[in-house]
Amino acid sequence: MEKQQYERPLIKRLESKIPNKFGAKPNLIPITHIDEVAVKDLISEHGSPLFVISEKKIRSNIRKARKAFETRYPKVQFAWSYKTNYLDAVCRTFHQEGSWAEVVSDFEYDKALHNGVNGSKIIYNGPDKTPESIKKAIQNNSLIHIDHLDEYYTIQETADALGIKAKVAVRINMDTGVYPMWDRFGFNYENGQAWTVLNKIMRSDVMTLVGLHTHIGTFMLSAIAYGVAASKLADLAIGIRTKYDHQIEYIDMGGGFASVNRLKGSYLPGVDTNPTIDDFAEAITTALINADFKPDELPLLILETGRALIDDAASLLGTVISNKRLSDGRRSTILDIGVNLLFTSFWYEHPITPAQPFTQYTEDTVVYGPLCMNIDVLREHITLPLLNKDDHVVIQYVGAYNMTQWMQFITLRPRIVMIDEKRNVNIIREREHLDRILEFEKVPDHLKKFDL
Ligand SMILES: *Cc1c(COP(=O)(O)O)cnc(C)c1O
């Protein structure tokens, strides 16, 4: 048996078992393994910090999501939202599971092509599509989702010059009862803008209207809002059918389903409060099936779900640098993980769990990162046992947006590994090197030399 650790005694008020103002008592069980691979081994082999992605979890998430929709609606297609996590290995896992690609920039469009996605299975969203990428998208038969009228005119001119018909859909924003409304993207339903662009497209010789799209928000806590949005898109689709005798191919409900994460300031954990994929599926499919489509004219239903499929498939492993008492007596723990790697800690209370056994006494702790900046706080309050220097922690539910929004600030970004279904640990992104950073820099001749 290992020698027991000594821990300085602490006098503390007894807490009852009911939730206090910081929420429910934490369920403190160390996370020693991820997909049966020891955290200790992962860190000794690949360094700390380390992102670890579970391929098994990704696959089970997308299969569960498909099942939720496919058991309720006859024609369903998922498209992986690249900006949520565009690591090639992650994207390809989703593509192997049948997901198309959903991209929002020239760079992401090229990444999807590089991953081998057929152009006709790439959905091109976003307000900043360059003319060159629009040209490429038309030539590749991709699905271009129009965001604003200036883009409409660029597509019109480009398709005209190419002599190829562009496949387009329109992004619609609308009042779904959730505020603030996301009305900066696409065309508004209530004020008639939606019909203005639809009429233009229907009268254009060089565009085919194939779909209607919306993306009503992100981390949505209301499934009903999706029902409202689906009804409004169905209403437009039926209006187009009546007015132009034209049947659209698909309705794309975007992404935005909440993941299991817990929002800051929320009293209960996300798993207890956030709607499930089944709740979202029920709201959307009920609205579509109850709309006035003829049974054989039901459109394909596309989902661009991002965070809900990847958040809980990744963890961030880290190491304790030190502990210290703050001026008010609170304990603070400094980790080697900062907000540069965990952007989402500004919105979420990510679970932070020791990766090794610990003593039974817990204390309200502030968890800091290593950056020399006051804003580098991972958790303002978390009940943790004492963590010693060099102990490891596991931060859960970090799969969405962190590996795309991370910053190279005062340090280099760490390695990312993916554990496959056979428990092999695959490096899917190397840690950054100084050389890679210097590769982009240039020093003017007159600054090359100095004497100090
Ligand atoms: C970001 C985005 C998504 C994915 O959103 P999640 O909140 O990660 O599900 C889907 N569609 C569009 C158009 C987006 O911009």
Side-chain angles (χ1 to χ4, degrees):
M1 199 182 126
E2 271 184 53
K3 186 168 169 263
Q4 295 273 310
Q5 259 182 34
Y6 170 75
E7 192 177 330
R8 184 176 55 80
L10 171 90
I11 295 171
K12 202 173 125 203
R13 202 169 49 138
L14 273 179
E15 284 181 65
S16 54
K17 287 283 190 304
I18 55 164
N20 62 22
K21 69 174 175 169
F22 304 119
K25 279 200 75 130
N27 189 12
L28 278 179
I29 299 168
I31 299 179
T32 56
H33 290 73
I34 295 176
D35 284 0
E36 296 171 55
V37 182
V39 168
K40 196 160 49 77
D41 298 344
L42 285 165
I43 289 182
S44 70
E45 178 108 350
H46 301 282
S48 175
L50 176 72
F51 279 100
V52 181
I53 301 179
S54 163
E55 184 182 330
K56 190 166 124 193
K57 188 70 183 162
I58 296 180
R59 290 189 190 275
S60 89
N61 283 350
I62 177 69
R63 286 175 196 174
K64 211 171 120 194
R66 282 181 56 173
K67 193 169 165 196
F69 280 88
E70 286 170 358
T71 50
R72 292 177 166 92
Y73 194 82
K75 290 187 279 179
V76 178
Q77 178 62 53
F78 276 81
W80 176 239
S81 155
Y82 265 47
K83 79 172 186 295
T84 310
N85 188 321
Y86 46 59
L87 288 163
D88 285 352
V90 168
C91 296
R92 285 170 194 239
T93 307
F94 281 104
H95 297 323
Q96 279 190 354
E97 293 291 330
S99 296
W100 294 357
E102 185 273 326
V103 304
V104 292
S105 68
D106 202 348
F107 158 74
E108 287 191 354
Y109 187 90
D110 288 345
K111 213 156 190 292
L113 285 181
H114 148 86
N115 275 331
V117 181
N118 187 297
S120 65
K121 310 244 159 112
I122 302 178
I123 295 172
Y124 195 5
N125 281 315
D128 181 22
K129 305 180 184 79
T130 60
E132 306 80 64
S133 67
I134 284 179
K135 184 173 171 192
K136 208 163 18 178
I138 295 173
Q139 286 168 327
N140 289 327
N141 223 10
S142 300
L143 306 162
I144 308 174
H145 288 189
I146 305 178
D147 185 78
H148 47 75
L149 274 182
D150 290 296
E151 184 176 294
Y152 164 85
Y153 290 116
T154 308
I155 298 170
Q156 173 78 23
E157 280 164 24
T158 315
D160 204 21
L162 288 171
I164 307 173
K165 263 197 155 187
K167 279 173 99 180
V168 300
V170 177
R171 176 155 177 179
I172 311 286
N173 68 65
M174 73 277 282
D175 187 347
T176 60
V178 173
Y179 308 101
M181 244 170 86
W182 272 31
D183 57 359
R184 56 173 285 187
F185 301 110
F187 299 83
N188 187 251
Y189 173 87
E190 284 83 17
N191 73 4
Q193 277 184 356
W195 267 112
T196 304
V197 67
L198 289 171
N199 287 328
K200 282 183 192 293
I201 295 169
M202 291 312 300
R203 295 190 169 111
S204 161
D205 306 330
V206 293
M207 289 186 213
T208 311
L209 181 72
V210 290
L212 293 169
H213 171 236
T214 192
H215 174 62
I216 60 174
T218 193
F219 210 89
M220 299 294 285
L221 294 170
S222 159
I224 296 166
Y226 282 89
V228 175
S231 299
K232 291 186 175 177
L233 291 191
D235 175 64
L236 290 177
I238 291 157
I240 295 159
R241 178 84 171 100
T242 311
K243 183 166 174 180
Y244 292 102
D245 196 21
H246 175 78
Q247 209 181 313
I248 58 151
E249 291 168 25
Y250 64 85
I251 280 185
D252 179 344
M253 292 302 299
F257 302 160
S259 72
V260 294
N261 256 310
R262 172 192 188 132
L263 285 177
K264 267 195 171 169
S266 150
Y267 189 65
L268 290 165
V271 274
D272 295 331
T273 55
N274 305 350
T276 62
I277 286 273
D278 280 289
D279 297 329
F280 291 113
E282 185 67 21
I284 292 170
T285 58
T286 303
L288 293 182
I289 288 168
N290 289 352
D292 286 336
F293 292 111
K294 298 209 178 78
D296 58 341
E297 290 184 3
L298 272 179
L300 172 72
L301 169 59
I302 298 181
L303 287 316
E304 304 169 345
T305 312
R307 64 174 80 240
L309 299 181
I310 188 79
D311 237 357
D312 61 351
S315 303
L316 183 50
L317 313 186
T319 305
V320 175
I321 296 172
S322 183
N323 286 295
K324 67 168 80 161
R325 289 278 157 201
L326 299 177
S327 58
D328 62 4
R330 268 182 311 157
R331 179 160 74 202
S332 74
T333 296
I334 308 165
L335 299 181
D336 62 353
I337 296 168
V339 292
N340 56 328
L341 300 182
L342 200 65
F343 206 74
T344 53
S345 57
F346 290 121
W347 299 284
Y348 294 152
E349 293 187 348
H350 291 282
I352 303 180
T353 311
Q356 56 283 307
F358 41 78
T359 54
Q360 60 180 311
Y361 300 108
T362 58
E363 212 185 314
D364 184 29
T365 306
V366 194
V367 180
Y368 292 126
L371 309 179
C372 290
M373 287 196 316
N374 206 31
I375 60 158
D376 192 21
V377 185
L378 298 184
R379 288 290 296 270
E380 298 280 357
H381 290 285
I382 180 169
T383 307
L384 280 176
L386 178 67
L387 288 161
N388 291 294
K389 175 175 156 53
D390 298 329
D391 278 355
H392 300 311
V393 296
V394 177
I395 304 186
Q396 285 171 290
Y397 314 152
V398 305
Y401 297 99
N402 287 305
M403 284 162 258
T404 47
Q405 291 185 325
W406 53 357
M407 282 177 278
Q408 189 267 303
F409 176 70
I410 73 167
T411 174
L412 298 167
R413 284 171 280 211
R415 204 176 251 183
I416 303 178
V417 297
M418 183 149 103
I419 304 175
D420 66 26
E421 292 181 299
K422 296 189 181 117
R423 274 181 268 143
N424 297 312
V425 180
N426 306 280
I427 298 170
I428 61 165
R429 192 178 195 275
E430 259 309 348
R431 63 172 74 89
E432 290 174 343
H433 295 288
L434 179 61
D435 290 350
R436 287 310 296 273
I437 305 294
L438 298 182
E439 205 179 291
F440 297 107
E441 296 199 30
K442 290 193 195 315
V443 178
D445 279 343
H446 71 285
L447 297 176
K448 286 201 170 131
K449 280 208 205 103
F450 51 81
D451 297 313
L452 287 179

